[in-house]
Amino acid sequence: MTSTRHLIGLLLGTEEDWPAAFEEIARRLGPVDYPVDGPDGGSHAFDIERITIEPFTLRYHPRYQLVIDRLAYWYYVPREWLKKVAMMDDVYLLNSPFTFQSMEKHAAYCAMMRLGLKVPETVLVPYKNPVDNARYAYTAARYNQPFDLDAIARQIGYPLFMKPYDGGAWRGVSRINNVTELHAAYDASGEMLMHLQKAVDYDVFARSLSIGAETMVMKFQPDQPMHLRYAVEHDFLSPAAGAEVVSIGRLVNAFFKWEFNSCETLVKGADVYPIDYANACPDVALTSLHYYFPWAIKTLVKWSVFALVTGRKAKLDLETDRYFAIAAEPGMSYQEKLAGYRALADEYFETERYHDFCAARLPHLDQIVLDWVTGPDFDQFLVRTVQSVYPAHEHDKFIAHLRGLLHLWVRDESARLAAA
Ligand SMILES: Nc1ncnc2c1ncn2[C@@H]1O[C@H](COP(=O)(O)OP(=O)(O)O)[C@@H](O)[C@H]1O
Ligand SMILES: [Mg+2]
């Protein structure tokens, strides 16, 4: 039997919690046997390393086989390094660096509209204050037509949202109820390029976190402080709406080659409206995800192991034609198209093969994670995380809060495993 060692690189921002959890779960998992004929058959072991930022020659060969990145969406040196290792070295990245721009939701809106999804009416308006560039003044004088902001807003209808075409973390987002607010927001937009988008008067906000072929749909409460935004509630959507939320997320992810992304949908009655679908490398901090944290980190480990052990290749080319062909099919209903997209997306993610792989090769991982979360190491990890995130006077409150939610997860997960 051959044995293979894989090196996983973590490209990190300020976070310490999920990388430590990822390393711990992978360590407790240990090597994975994959008894198949061919180059992937044998025993597979995993090393994990945190990547540092260095100058690099574009022809060098990186040591990593897979990289999980939470940094490149705002820091350009690692972003360009990711492009190099994806283009030249076949390093497996969870998000294609050529399409992930977590700050650019415009392209995702365009793709989803072409595919017939219910993106609310959206208009891009030119800058309030054009970029400071001598050439721009000339271009603007010649080509920037005066436009009637009031008429655009009237046509969309109030209330509406004004938000940057490349937004993230609510920067520059405002809800607008009338023409006075419209002008105030546009004047304040300055050098940000803005969309105006019809507001959806929704019943439920569903935020889904996708990691590879798995998706967790969570009830999101955007008005709450960070630690209360994800509600622990399991059947808050009808089965049909829940399935649609999963399908839309998987579709967008397969379309752009994103495997670690979070998506936002507003659900009103039976209708699902996607509003924010480009949050590649999303926040998976213990303090934000709480109850869902063990699922997220376990799934990151499972997907990484699956990709490495089975020799999955990252794809850089988008197969947009296959999706657009379904979109253009005359006589196909919305639900039929969605089913067609879902089949393409599941093919891209090898969903069935992934689940078979987990059942056959990682059947003990659920118990490993449950034991870890139940034990004293995890509690110390929880306490350390709270101490590093919150000011001293809030430690007791947040330690109790997180312990409560994680105990709830332990109870639910124990019941689930006992029933299985
Ligand atoms: N069309 C909309 N209808 C209703 N609420 C919206 C709409 N667009 C944005 N919002 C609200 O504003 C928040 C931020 O907008 P979003 O598009 O998610 O931008 P960001 O990328 O900054 O998260 C959303 O979480 C939601 O609460
Ligand atoms: Mg958002």
Side-chain angles (χ1 to χ4, degrees), residues 268-305:
K268 169 82 178 164
D271 290 313
V272 176
Y273 299 93
I275 57 150
D276 185 6
Y277 262 71
N279 299 296
C281 325
D283 170 24
V284 286
L286 172 65
T287 46
S288 329
L289 287 187
H290 52 76
Y291 179 93
Y292 299 102
F293 181 79
W295 171 82
I297 309 309
K298 175 167 58 178
T299 307
L300 267 178
V301 170
K302 283 159 72 179
W303 184 252
S304 304
V305 166

Side-chain angles (χ1 to χ4, degrees), residues 47 103 156 250 252 264 281 347 389 412 417:
D47 299 313
M103 62 297 282
I156 295 173
R250 197 158 300 162
V252 175
E264 297 177 356
C281 325
E347 177 191 319
V389 172
D412 290 353
L417 295 187

Side-chain angles (χ1 to χ4, degrees), residues 105 109 120 161 163 167-171 173 175 197-202 205 220 222 264 266 275-276 279:
K105 47 170 69 87
Y109 284 155
F161 276 79
K163 51 189 187 178
W170 293 50
R171 176 179 54 86
V173 177
R175 183 184 161 95
Q197 185 174 73
K198 172 104 188 124
V200 179
D201 170 28
Y202 58 90
F205 190 132
F220 196 65
E264 297 177 356
L266 305 177
I275 57 150
D276 185 6
N279 299 296

Side-chain angles (χ1 to χ4, degrees), residues 345-398:
D346 281 328
E347 177 191 319
Y348 169 72
F349 281 107
E350 304 180 272
T351 307
E352 211 180 311
R353 184 172 181 225
Y354 165 77
H355 286 296
D356 290 348
F357 175 89
C358 293
R361 309 317 329 160
L362 308 172
H364 49 310
L365 186 58
D366 286 336
Q367 191 63 48
I368 290 174
V369 175
L370 179 59
D371 290 345
W372 176 55
V373 177
T374 311
D377 290 0
F378 185 87
D379 193 62
Q380 283 164 21
F381 162 79
L382 182 154
V383 169
R384 270 200 317 275
T385 302
V386 169
Q387 287 169 344
S388 68
V389 172
Y390 295 103
H393 70 277
E394 290 187 322
H395 288 175
D396 289 349
K397 172 181 137 191
F398 281 108

